[in-house]
């Protein structure tokens, strides 16, 4: 059999393995096996590719694989669970850069005037460049190496439009005669890299998760277009799968935040912090850890709502200890996970899993809300916007319509945060002033640890 | 005709992607993202062909070797991080 | 643009429409739209095909389309809901025949020695032939034009093996030199048709639904292989979708009957009617319609379990009337649908939908079983095997392990059937002898109508 | 290479088929069967090309015309029966 046919046959198997891998991520029971299937698909694809006739020397391949592989292993072993968002952003960025270089190489070695090849080359460079620098900025913001705030400068919109316009115009010129426009090609490379920076710097740090998942779909797109450049089916299949993934996750996040994708990417979300009717402002009740302990000791049903603040305080291990003590004390403990709680979609689940909390204790919003009125105590830990009842009732609120966890329906609500400050959306939270709400001020980790010692002391006594 | 077959494959894959991904529960969205990230490094295949066909020309050797390194970084890092996350998901008593 | 590229581009759209159509069948709300999408996909594919360069004359196309279309419309409008299984079998059969003729035509006009084409031709003829005659026999059995019983003759197994062997041997000869083996080709055609008959006549009428869905996957296979013969991508995509459908439905049915596919297709299911411990046989209680009415009038929660007998008695409209009267009387009425109740998968749902019963009153077995002990009256109408508790408890029973509807856990059970006869599996049913079970003998439709008049009379009084 | 592209398309479609079909609830299995039946008549396309390219040869004209008629029968009958069933599925109050 012709070796090219054999290779493509194996590619089919690889694609099926990739698809199966993603499908098995549909359940925590099969997810790990899915990841291993996917790895085997990748290994197969890599090995048969090295058998192809075009591959005649191995020294550069070996060099690249060793360097990249070592760096990848290093990054993966060092990354903490709280650092997942920035780590994924970083990997994305280099993936985008790598794809861009593949296309550049293809163009350099086999330049052609065929539009069927040169349009995909242009698109790959453009999208790959944006993915690379965009991801780097996202990485910087998430890891706090860059200021998290939205960065804007006067006339920024004009610069953006100028760069985009230049990219389009240069694109047309390039495509008119790709064989003889190497300088224009280089200009496109540079402008794409600039474009990536310009697109991401004005977006605030808290919106980075959406940016990552949009960049994820870009990475998919680049794989697809590169597939068209080098006529490779696996790249097209995988690119499509990844593209779909990025789009779906972005949409889910935007829905959960009740904003449009356009608003996240270009809007810059101007929070309208109008504390309405400040005159009749009620006092929020504050409670001591000792009193809170007494209430918790009597509770039969507890729901814990973790938020961004829990991740910031790194309180996931403390919360697990508390939940175990509560259970020992006879209470049923459930965790209510809001889709955009934490720093990226599903991030809260990973953090709690890291702290050894069983995943069948983690409930989605829609499952827990109908049972909320039977709950004795709801403990809100470092969450704010995702439990703000204004989203249900106050049409003038910027978060109106965002689905929330209805903690206010529980018999008692404890809110663990450091101050009365607002959350990411910058909106006042009526919940804090409710009759049945008690604030427990302080760093989430410290408060939880104090609660834990109260429980231990009472058990020892 | 090649081009049209590739388009066909693209259309089917996009559809398949949407059907599969929309079934992954929010519980696993972070590992899903890093898994997708890992497989998006599939352009490694293109990089391998580029680097493997190189012998002399310095500039293209650099391009191709860098492409292999970066995409390998993406693939290896992505898979291992996914594995690291997934192995923490446990049910009580496991 | 080249017309062939344009056509293939439209084919892509058609395929997406087909896939979307099937996906939308996932919910009764979108199902009809899905069917219309699928139709549009077909229309698009047909129209662009007529634009292709190969099509130079239209008179035969027109003749075929008009004849086939008219016959199709006629069949569709005449078919009653109870006749769905045989109607689908018939349509299947002709589809298989049509595909077979396409391949025959291709072979006749462009015979070739290329294995990549002639292997698919051979497979298409083989599978197409089996699909055609097999479906015809299934149609005959289901519509009772042929005896429903398993038909076997002495030495049948040898004949089967001989025919199959001949098909394989002739296949090899044919493939060795397709250009010069027209007579062998014809022999393959004839033997395939015979094979279809031989495969289906030994299977009992009640197993026909499995046969239909296996034939469904064959029809898909033929479309695929034909796609490889005439190099047509839509055929391959659609064939794969249909093939997957047939396989999944066959597996679901076999699981619900707790038998293997091999047992259904080749086993001939020998029921072991050993009424064990006939000595201590208890008497089944029989109840009059009047007494049953009094019990039902007091019931607050009623579950109706329809079975094959309800379809035979055509009692779907009577059961709807009864359920409405029960609801008017203040009872909550739910229908529990077993996956293999009726004559084909999902058939019971169609029959009840035809009688205007809202589909949100129809519950799957797994949903209703956990709530069964809160049910006042379970009315079993023409069902037997699917409510036999021996499947849960009696390891020696041939239906042991088959999932059943746990009606025996309800406070009172009414069984509407004509006699103490066994159901399809030929197994005694302990349920009938239970303390809380009452038999109401008679044709299901008549019994239901009597119950309805009782209710009406009491309302009038 | 054509052949390998067709195999690719086949593999993706089989996967897609399994994913989509396994999500259809038992409630709709009968319409699903007849829908699948209808689309399996897609070989009509092949029949159309066969019949449309015919002019003179009696035997092949008969083959091709019969193929068109039978597959059209399958398609039209299948779709209309599906439609007939589906339009009966109603929720209370609809
Ligand atoms: N997850 C995603 O994918 C995603 C993506 C984009 C945007 N977002 C946005 O992020 C927000 C997430 O909502 P959320 O309720 O989880 O968070 P949030 O509304 O941003 O509130 C977090 C709260 O945690 C408290 N906090 C911070 N550090 C703390 C510490 N060390 N100890 C105790 N409390 C601490 C802060 O109050 P103090 O300062 O008073 O302590 C703050 O009010 C939403 O508005 C969502 O739209 C999420
Ligand atoms: N649905 C499928 O896809 C499928 C496929 C293959 C096999 N099967 C098999 O078919 C069986 C279906 O189970 P099932 O419980 O629905 O049916 P069943 O066990 O076959 O019992 C049907 C009962 O209906 C009664 N009956 C017949 N005509 C009646 C009438 N006019 N009025 C009242 N009662 C009447 C019969 O009893 P009397 O004679 O005493 O009236 C019979 O016991 C299972 O064994 C299953 O494995 C189903």
């Amino acid at each position: 059999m012709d070796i090219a046919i054999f290779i493509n046959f194996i590619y089919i198997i690889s694609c099926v393995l990739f698809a199966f891998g993603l499908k098995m991520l549909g359940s925590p029971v099969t997810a790990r096996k899915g990841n291993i299937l996917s790895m085997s698909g990748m290994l197969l694809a890599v090995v048969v590719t090295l058998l192809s006739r075009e591959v005649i020397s191995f020294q550069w391949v070996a060099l690249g694989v060793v360097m990249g592989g070592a760096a990848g292993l290093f990054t993966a072993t060092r990354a903490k669970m709280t650092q997942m968002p920035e780590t994924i952003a970083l990997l994305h960025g280099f993936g985008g850069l790598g794809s861009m270089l593949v296309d550049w190489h293809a163009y350099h070695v086999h330049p052609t005037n065929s539009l069927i090849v040169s349009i995909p080359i242009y698109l790959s460079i453009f999208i790959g460049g944006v993915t690379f620098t965009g991801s780097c900025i996202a990485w910087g913001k998430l890891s706090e190496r860059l200021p998290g705030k939205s960065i804007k400068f006067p006339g920024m919109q004009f610069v953006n439009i100028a760069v985009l316009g230049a990219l389009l115009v240069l694109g047309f010129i390039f495509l008119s005669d790709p064989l003889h426009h190497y300088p224009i090609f280089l200009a496109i490379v540079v402008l794409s890299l600039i474009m990536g920076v310009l697109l991401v710097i004005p977006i605030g740090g808290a919106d980075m998760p959406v940016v990552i998942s949009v960049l994820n779909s870009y990475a998919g797109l680049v794989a697809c277009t590169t597939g068209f450049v080098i006529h490779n089916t696996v790249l097209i299949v995988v690119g499509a799968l990844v593209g779909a993934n990025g789009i779906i996750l972005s949409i889910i996040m935007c829905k959960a935040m009740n904003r449009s994708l356009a608003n996240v990417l270009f809007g810059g979300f101007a929070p309208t912090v109008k504390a309405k009717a400040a005159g009749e402002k009620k006092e929020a009740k504050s409670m001591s850890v000792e009193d809170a302990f007494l209430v918790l000791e009597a509770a039969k049903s507890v729901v814990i709502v973790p938020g961004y603040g829990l991740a910031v305080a790194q309180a996931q291990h403390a919360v697990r200890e508390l939940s175990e003590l509560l259970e020992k004390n006879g209470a049923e403990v459930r965790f209510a996970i809001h889709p955009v709680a934490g720093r990226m979609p599903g991030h809260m689940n990973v953090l709690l899993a890291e702290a050894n909390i069983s995943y069948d204790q983690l409930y989605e919003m829609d499952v827990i809300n109908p049972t909320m009125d039977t709950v004795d105590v709801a403990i809100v830990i470092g969450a704010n916007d995702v439990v703000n009842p204004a989203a249900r009732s106050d049409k003038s609120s910027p978060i109106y319509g965002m689905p929330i966890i209805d903690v206010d329906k529980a018999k008692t609500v404890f809110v663990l945060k450091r101050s009365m400050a607002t959350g990411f959306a910058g909106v006042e939270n009526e919940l804090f002033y409710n009759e049945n709400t008690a604030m427990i001020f302080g760093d989430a980790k410290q408060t939880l640890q104090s609660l834990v010692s109260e429980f231990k002391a009472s058990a020892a006594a | 005709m090649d081009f049209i077959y590739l388009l066909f494959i693209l259309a089917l894959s996009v559809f398949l992607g949407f059907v599969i991904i929309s079934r992954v529960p929010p519980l696993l969205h972070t590992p899903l993202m890093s898994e997708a990230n890992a497989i998006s490094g599939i352009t490694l295949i293109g990089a391998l062909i580029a680097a493997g066909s190189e012998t002399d020309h310095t500039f293209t050797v650099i391009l191709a070797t860098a492409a292999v390194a970066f995409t390998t970084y993406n693939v290896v890092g992505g898979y291992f991080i996914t594995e690291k996350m997934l192995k923490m998901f446990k049910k009580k008593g496991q």
Side-chain angles (χ1 to χ4, degrees), chain A, chain B:
Chain A
M1 192 166 36
D2 185 0
I3 185 83
I5 300 233
F6 170 73
I7 292 175
N8 270 284
F9 193 78
I10 299 294
Y11 280 172
I12 295 182
I13 297 177
S14 287
C15 287
V16 170
L17 288 173
F18 291 134
F20 246 108
L22 284 177
K23 189 170 142 54
M24 289 172 89
L25 268 183
S27 147
V29 182
T30 53
R32 252 181 111 179
K33 254 186 236 152
N35 191 32
I36 288 169
L37 278 191
S38 186
M39 285 186 194
S40 346
M42 185 64 79
L43 196 67
L44 263 183
V46 167
V47 170
V48 297
T49 302
L50 294 178
L51 298 179
S52 69
R53 262 203 225 91
E54 289 104 319
V55 177
I56 45 174
S57 75
F58 291 90
Q59 73 270 37
W60 305 118
V61 169
L63 181 66
V65 166
V66 168
M67 289 195 314
L73 270 180
F74 180 75
T75 306
T77 35
R78 280 230 328 192
K80 294 205 197 87
M81 287 305 137
T82 40
Q83 296 170 332
M84 279 306 132
E86 56 259 39
T87 310
I88 294 179
L90 194 68
L91 291 168
H92 253 119
F94 285 110
L97 177 59
S99 311
M100 192 178 171
L101 296 180
V102 172
D103 293 282
W104 188 343
H105 184 273
Y107 172 65
H108 192 101
V109 177
H110 306 290
T112 159
N113 263 350
S114 151
L115 280 183
I116 276 185
V117 173
S118 46
I119 292 181
I121 286 190
Y122 168 67
L123 290 175
S124 302
I125 296 290
F126 187 172
I127 309 173
V130 168
T131 307
F132 173 48
T133 48
S135 299
C136 289
I137 301 287
W139 167 77
K141 290 201 174 205
L142 284 164
S143 62
E144 286 163 17
R145 281 178 178 80
L146 288 177
K149 290 225 175 95
S150 156
I151 301 174
K152 286 182 181 167
F153 52 84
M156 182 159 189
Q157 273 174 324
F158 295 102
V159 176
N160 281 356
I161 291 172
V163 173
L164 186 65
L167 273 167
L168 293 178
V169 172
L170 291 178
F172 272 107
I173 302 177
F174 170 69
L175 291 174
S176 70
D177 185 10
L179 270 180
H180 303 100
H181 279 322
Y182 210 108
I184 291 197
F185 175 85
L186 292 179
I188 292 175
V189 171
V190 173
L191 282 177
S192 305
L193 295 173
I194 295 176
M195 191 78 216
V197 175
L198 287 176
L199 281 175
V200 180
I201 49 164
I203 304 177
D207 276 337
M208 279 307 126
V210 185
V211 173
I212 302 182
S213 88
V214 170
L215 291 172
N216 186 249
S217 71
Y218 286 179
L221 270 181
V222 181
C224 269
T225 48
T226 309
F228 278 93
V229 173
I230 64 172
H231 258 232
N232 189 309
T233 39
V234 204
L235 263 60
I236 295 179
V237 174
V238 171
L241 294 177
V242 175
N245 174 64
I247 293 173
I248 289 180
L249 289 183
S250 319
I251 291 176
I252 288 177
M253 271 188 280
C254 289
K255 267 201 191 141
M257 295 193 292
N258 198 36
R259 290 163 65 194
S260 72
L261 193 54
N263 178 285
V264 172
L265 297 183
F266 309 113
F269 199 48
T272 47
V273 205
K274 278 182 195 128
K276 61 159 191 179
E280 49 144 328
K281 197 158 199 169
K282 289 175 281 180
E283 268 300 286
K285 252 186 308 181
S286 160
M287 197 184 249
S288 71
V289 169
E290 292 73 27
D291 293 343
F293 162 69
L294 294 176
V295 177
L296 280 177
E297 210 189 9
K300 285 281 142 266
S301 159
V302 176
V303 163
I304 297 178
V305 184
Y308 183 85
L310 179 116
V312 174
Q314 305 237 19
Q316 64 267 36
H317 293 280
V319 82
R320 198 244 334 187
E321 260 196 279
L322 179 64
S323 81
E324 282 174 0
L325 289 168
L326 283 168
E327 284 190 327
K328 224 183 261 166
N329 191 37
E332 178 212 32
V333 181
R334 294 179 296 168
F335 289 81
I337 315 288
H338 191 279
V340 295
R343 284 162 170 251
M344 68 183 289
H347 192 206
M348 224 64 246
N349 302 292
V350 173
L351 291 176
L352 297 176
E354 187 198 10
N356 257 322
I357 291 166
S358 159
Y359 61 75
D360 48 8
Q361 274 184 295
L362 312 180
Y363 291 86
E364 286 172 38
M365 180 167 64
D366 302 336
V367 176
I368 220 148
N369 271 345
T371 66
M372 199 51 98
D373 39 15
T374 66
V375 169
D376 293 326
V377 184
I379 315 180
V380 177
I381 307 177
N384 191 341
D385 299 339
V386 300
V387 292
N388 191 338
R392 273 200 325 257
S393 54
D394 179 2
K395 285 203 180 155
S396 68
S397 170
I399 62 167
Y400 178 73
M402 164 172 159
I404 60 158
I405 299 178
D406 299 333
V407 283
D408 52 329
K409 297 200 175 139
K411 285 178 200 123
T412 310
V413 183
F414 289 162
V415 179
L416 275 63
K417 63 201 293 282
R418 296 165 307 182
S419 65
M420 292 300 288
T422 57
F424 166 65
V427 197
E428 284 291 326
N429 195 336
E430 280 293 320
L431 173 75
F432 303 160
Y433 307 104
N434 276 358
E435 272 304 300
N436 58 343
T437 304
M439 309 295 294
I440 310 180
F441 291 114
D443 177 75
K445 194 173 179 179
Q446 275 161 18
T447 310
L448 286 168
Q449 282 169 343
S450 317
L451 277 170
V452 165
S453 0
E454 288 286 335
F455 264 100
K456 285 190 176 153
S458 107
Chain B
M1 276 307 282
D2 264 23
F3 177 70
I4 205 81
Y5 284 131
L6 296 180
L7 265 191
F8 231 104
I9 290 171
L10 176 66
L12 287 172
S13 308
V14 169
F15 203 100
L16 186 60
F18 275 99
V19 176
I20 294 180
I21 307 279
S22 59
R23 282 217 272 184
V24 176
L27 175 69
L28 292 167
H29 276 173
T30 297
L32 171 64
M33 185 94 103
S34 76
E35 173 89 7
N37 174 31
I39 62 175
S40 76
I42 186 73
T43 43
L44 166 58
I45 285 183
L48 290 176
I49 297 178
S53 58
E54 278 305 334
T55 39
D56 39 6
H57 192 299
T58 320
F59 177 64
T60 53
V61 163
I62 294 177
L63 272 186
T65 312
V68 172
F70 290 131
T71 49
T72 308
Y73 175 68
N74 186 177
V75 168
V76 172
Y79 275 127
F80 280 91
I81 278 190
T82 312
E83 170 66 12
K84 194 167 162 179
M85 281 192 266
L86 288 177
K87 80 175 172 219
M88 293 178 332
F89 280 86
K90 290 197 196 80
K91 239 193 172 147
K92 232 160 217 177
Q94 264 184 333

